[in-house]
Amino acid sequence: RKEVEQDPGPFNVPEGATVAFNCTYSNSASQSFFWYRQDCRKEPKLLMSVYSSGNEDGRFTAQLNRASQYISLLIRDSKLSDSATYLCVVNPNAGNNRKLIWGLGTSLAVNP
Amino acid sequence: DTAVSQTPKYLVTQMGNDKSIKCEQNLGHDTMYWYKQDSKKFLKIMFSYNNKELIINETVPNRFSPKSPDKAHLNLHINSLELGDSAVYFCASSQEHGGPLREQYFGPGTRLTVT
């Protein structure tokens, strides 16, 4: 099993739709989780941090399921500007190996 | 006010040359990173420094040498550039306090093309 796994997509949705992405992780000791968005030819930008069961920020909701080792991102009322790649990032809490583990990303295209 | 800045934004050079990329953060963070993102979009960590001390040194050719003159700066020098070095290099920073890894903030990237 990969350390962090995401469905690459692309997800094509109409404006106003609700879309959800899942991300699975292999290390059950993982402590914290992040969702980043990356626009084409730009840097990753932090969207949301998850330190407990979930987080909500406006139209975006992240849910953590520790038992099944996945974290989801829900986007409600999609906007054209939500089109981007969404990167799932996991802090594996692996002793001295202090690095985040990055997923390959899920591509979202919101269409008019 | 740019939080994490990198220069140059674009770098086109020939094989065999030596080049440097500079990174500065004004967030007061104690940890800085270099990532490489290749054409397959995979974001791979190369190095990280905490308070000027090298913490992570991934399997990177020794042609790549990072230098952190102070907490706010992390530069990357690349010797004898090869075609396979073509990628986007991102600098990032975070405030770790020695605790669990926290959010990282990225610079705009340096697009390196080796011809």
Side-chain angles (χ1 to χ4, degrees):
Chain A
R1 189 180 188 179
K2 284 185 185 172
E3 289 183 283
V4 177
E5 202 151 5
Q6 296 182 250
D7 181 343
F11 284 64
N12 284 285
V13 303
E15 263 187 294
T18 294
V19 62
F21 312 132
N22 270 351
C23 167
T24 57
Y25 59 95
S26 60
N27 187 340
S28 59
S30 298
Q31 279 191 337
S32 49
F33 308 83
F34 309 94
W35 282 101
Y36 281 74
R37 69 169 280 167
Q38 185 173 23
D39 293 277
C40 189
R41 302 176 77 87
K42 297 280 191 182
E43 73 273 24
K45 289 188 177 167
L46 180 69
L47 184 64
M48 195 167 290
S49 308
V50 182
Y51 291 98
S52 56
S53 60
N55 198 356
E56 186 171 332
D57 183 4
R59 298 182 294 110
F60 298 85
T61 301
Q63 289 282 353
L64 172 62
N65 185 320
R66 287 192 187 273
S68 301
Q69 292 180 217
Y70 76 82
I71 182 164
S72 63
L73 178 68
L74 182 79
I75 305 175
R76 288 180 295 277
D77 188 24
S78 301
K79 312 287 184 198
L80 294 176
S81 58
D82 293 335
S83 298
T85 296
Y86 289 82
L87 300 166
C88 172
V89 189
V90 175
N91 171 17
N93 189 32
N96 289 329
N97 193 2
R98 294 183 63 77
K99 63 177 182 180
L100 297 176
I101 307 299
W102 293 75
L104 284 173
T106 297
S107 176
L108 171 67
V110 181
N111 306 306
Chain B
D1 246 5
T2 306
V4 183
S5 59
Q6 293 177 232
T7 53
K9 200 164 182 186
Y10 299 95
L11 188 50
V12 181
T13 189
Q14 290 185 328
M15 280 173 58
N17 284 349
D18 304 338
K19 290 292 177 188
S20 290
I21 309 172
K22 295 188 175 182
C23 177
E24 176 181 0
Q25 54 95 4
N26 62 8
L27 297 167
H29 287 166
D30 59 6
T31 306
M32 295 184 72
Y33 310 81
W34 278 113
Y35 283 88
K36 177 180 179 181
Q37 189 170 45
D38 59 25
S39 56
K40 292 180 182 168
K41 307 299 182 191
F42 179 55
L43 199 63
K44 181 175 165 55
I45 189 161
M46 301 172 71
F47 303 102
S48 84
Y49 273 76
N50 177 269
N51 286 314
K52 302 197 302 175
E53 182 187 343
L54 182 65
I55 301 295
I56 291 174
N57 185 350
E58 288 292 279
T59 311
V60 176
N62 57 15
R63 298 182 294 104
F64 290 79
S65 50
K67 270 208 174 86
S68 182
D70 55 58
K71 273 193 342 179
H73 295 85
L74 181 61
N75 303 323
L76 184 65
H77 187 76
I78 316 170
N79 287 328
S80 304
L81 277 154
E82 299 177 358
L83 292 177
D85 297 332
S86 296
V88 182
Y89 292 84
F90 287 106
C91 175
S93 74
S94 66
Q95 183 62 22
E96 299 301 335
H97 292 299
L101 296 176
R102 300 193 66 85
E103 299 85 351
Q104 295 178 8
Y105 296 88
F106 284 75
T110 296
R111 188 169 294 274
L112 172 65
T113 303
V114 182
T115 61

